[in-house]
Amino acid sequence: MATIKILIEGYARELPTGWQASSTSCLITTNTHKIITDPGCNRQALLAALDREDLSTDAIDYVFLSHRHPDHTLLACLFERAKYVTFDAHLLYDNDVMLEFDTHLFGEDIEIIDTPGHVQEHLSLLVDTQEGKIAIAGDVFWWLDGEAQLPDLNQEDSSQAPDMDHQALIASRKKLLAWADYIIPGHGKRFKVDR
């Protein structure tokens, strides 16, 4: 059964003329693979987190990218040996070879699911663990630092991406809240789903 370790808890701080932000990055370990999700853009923090796990960048088999924003993807190139599972036309990149992937590419206990809204092309993971089902949600859910972390279906998404679709985002939030026992947001603390 897969295990999940949060390497970096994502953060997002609004600045007068921009943002200071990096995504939540997780290490998923299966019997056969080590997977990094959304490696973010804080190089020093990511390398320190890998060092704490006694892992080199070459130990990673796959990098999973939920969506295109640089605060989630900028450090993907650190993992030179890895294959990349991307939102981009649902492709697996292995160097210059691009292949379609199955939703259970990582094994039967990990499902790759479409969760559009924050941007049109957005993926999340639903992982069966000993704790229950955990959704690694990318920016289906995210909060600014200091903001009350309440999973509100209608919460405004302050990213203002040109292709943001609030109704699709609500549908993606409903899906994850219905399927998961815990959710790891793109920025903020992991939370238990109350039913």
Side-chain angles (χ1 to χ4, degrees):
M1 192 165 271
T3 61
I4 300 173
K5 169 90 182 225
I6 296 174
L7 296 176
I8 299 170
E9 185 178 279
Y11 53 88
R13 300 172 192 103
E14 200 161 3
L15 303 174
T17 58
W19 295 87
Q20 180 181 14
S22 194
S23 64
T24 298
S25 297
C26 296
L27 170 67
I28 302 173
T29 304
T30 71
N31 289 335
T32 54
H33 305 303
K34 292 197 182 316
I35 305 155
I36 292 285
T37 67
D38 287 348
C41 60
N42 186 331
R43 180 185 173 95
Q44 185 176 5
L46 181 61
L47 291 176
L50 288 170
D51 192 51
R52 285 191 297 275
E53 297 301 313
D54 199 26
L55 290 174
S56 72
T57 57
D58 285 345
I60 303 305
D61 301 298
Y62 291 95
V63 175
F64 172 83
L65 301 172
S66 65
H67 67 290
R68 68 177 186 258
H69 289 156
D71 62 319
H72 290 252
T73 64
L74 203 61
L75 295 178
C77 64
L78 290 178
F79 304 94
E80 293 182 35
R81 196 184 68 75
K83 297 174 183 159
Y84 295 84
V85 176
T86 77
F87 53 87
D88 179 28
H90 295 79
L91 292 174
L92 168 71
Y93 284 75
D94 185 358
N95 291 310
D96 62 350
V97 176
M98 295 162 269
L99 303 169
E100 294 179 1
F101 59 80
D102 181 83
T103 58
H104 288 281
L105 169 72
F106 301 131
E108 287 305 309
D109 53 350
I110 303 174
E111 185 176 2
I112 302 167
I113 54 176
D114 281 302
T115 50
H118 177 71
V119 291
Q120 183 179 357
E121 292 183 306
H122 191 289
L123 299 173
S124 297
L125 294 174
L126 193 61
V127 185
D128 280 322
T129 71
Q130 289 190 345
E131 286 184 275
K133 287 191 183 286
I134 299 177
I136 300 176
D139 281 353
V140 174
F141 291 97
W142 70 278
W143 291 274
L144 296 170
D145 288 10
E147 186 176 12
Q149 194 169 305
L150 303 169
D152 176 4
L153 290 175
N154 296 304
Q155 179 180 356
E156 188 176 317
D157 186 325
S158 53
S159 75
Q160 301 170 354
D163 59 342
M164 209 242 338
D165 180 336
H166 195 69
Q167 291 310 307
L169 183 58
I170 289 171
S172 293
R173 288 172 175 168
K174 284 180 180 177
K175 186 172 16 178
L176 292 184
L177 289 169
W179 292 350
D181 299 304
Y182 297 89
I183 294 178
I184 299 173
H187 306 271
K189 297 188 179 309
R190 180 183 108 144
F191 65 91
K192 187 174 189 334
V193 175
D194 292 324
R195 292 196 172 81

